[in-house]
Amino acid sequence: MDHEEYDTWNGLAPEFQLTEDHDRDHVFPKEIELLKELREKVPRAKDFPQKSLLAFLFARKHDVSRSAEFLNVHIAALDSLGIQLPTEETPIPVSFATIQKINAQKPNGSKELLFRTGLTDKMGRMLAYQRFQYVIPGSLSYDQTLTVMTFWWYSNFYVYPIASIRAGLAFVMDFHGTGFKNLDYSAEGQRIQKDTMSLFPGRIRAFYMINCNWVVTLMIKMGRLLYKKKIMDRIVQTDVLSLPERIDRDSIPYIYGGDWKVNMDSWIPSMRKMLLAEKKQFLGDDEMEVIEVEETEEDEVTKKQEKKRKKILKSQSKMLQKNQKKELKEKVKEKVKEKGKDKAGKGTQE
């Protein structure tokens, strides 16, 4: 199958588009054949979970040769990290205890990335929020960062329906309070950025950017000159108040005006409970080794969250009013110019 671009909403070939009649975990007969070919080309992936392998096929638009090449690179990366390969019985190849220990040493814990099981945008894409003000360069090593990414991606492949993996990933990127202190210019930092994007089969289909400062806006403008149009078209500069146009309110964090009361501390215990219920195994994890964190309901809103919510919404409302006034002034200027041209034209005719 030749590598080509498809003019479809998710970038995949028309023959692999789901309809309302399809189940959310539907796999096309042709895809079953392609999966068999992929397992034959990469023998070490013969026991990989089906959904994970499909992610590699989707990432390379169902081209088996290119998918196999990508998969081999990914497996080599897991080997270098000392991570065992996933299987249907052990779908998440990193222990829960490992992730909790890594998160415990991060200065900002889990504040940087916000997500929960099954979070999607209105297009059905997997969804996560990244808050760059909490990024501290050098807080994690290369191996630790890629270990966390491995855990995160395989957790997604396990919990999401195939329809969402087929649709790709959407990121809400919050640049509030972001400055040069949050950027990593070191060699290891650049390597981390490159490999987190190139070693995992995550098809990022949308970047919803909020609270963009002048630095970010300038970088986007420069990016339009350097990168392909199809990549830059996935970037949407928006604001917190407009998020409900693209994401249901129950998938928007409370601090952004939504109904989701975020409790990241309960995410790992809830994932563990899901695996236990479905009789799955933990790789490299004795159940008693896992650091216990109380699983609590996400219905309590702290005073701090309430204060932050009001502050963000007030700020966004002021910004929106300012932009509306600016647009109105520009429209008035345009009308004045047009009237001036009309008068000048009439004067010339006379």
Side-chain angles (χ1 to χ4, degrees), residues 224-290:
R224 296 195 185 282
L225 300 174
L226 300 171
Y227 300 105
K228 292 181 180 178
K229 184 177 183 298
K230 69 167 189 174
I231 300 296
M232 298 310 296
D233 284 349
R234 294 173 191 170
I235 295 176
V236 179
Q237 274 186 271
T238 185
D239 54 74
V240 169
L241 299 178
S242 300
L243 285 180
E245 296 173 12
R246 298 174 173 84
I247 305 166
D248 289 330
R249 296 187 68 85
D250 62 357
S251 294
I252 299 175
Y254 189 79
I255 58 170
Y256 295 145
D259 300 327
W260 172 29
K261 283 81 174 182
V262 180
N263 180 5
M264 290 302 295
D265 286 338
S266 72
W267 183 75
I268 288 180
S270 66
M271 276 293 299
R272 204 167 145 259
K273 184 184 289 185
M274 184 185 299
L275 287 172
L276 283 170
E278 297 181 12
K279 298 182 179 178
K280 299 294 182 181
Q281 300 173 24
F282 306 129
L283 273 181
D285 229 359
D286 182 315
E287 202 177 322
M288 299 306 293
E289 291 177 357
V290 178

Side-chain angles (χ1 to χ4, degrees), residues 193-211:
Q193 289 178 39
K194 174 180 172 291
D195 287 355
T196 52
M197 295 293 287
S198 64
L199 294 178
F200 301 94
R203 301 167 55 248
I204 303 178
R205 304 295 300 172
F207 299 93
Y208 303 136
M209 296 187 166
I210 59 176
N211 298 316

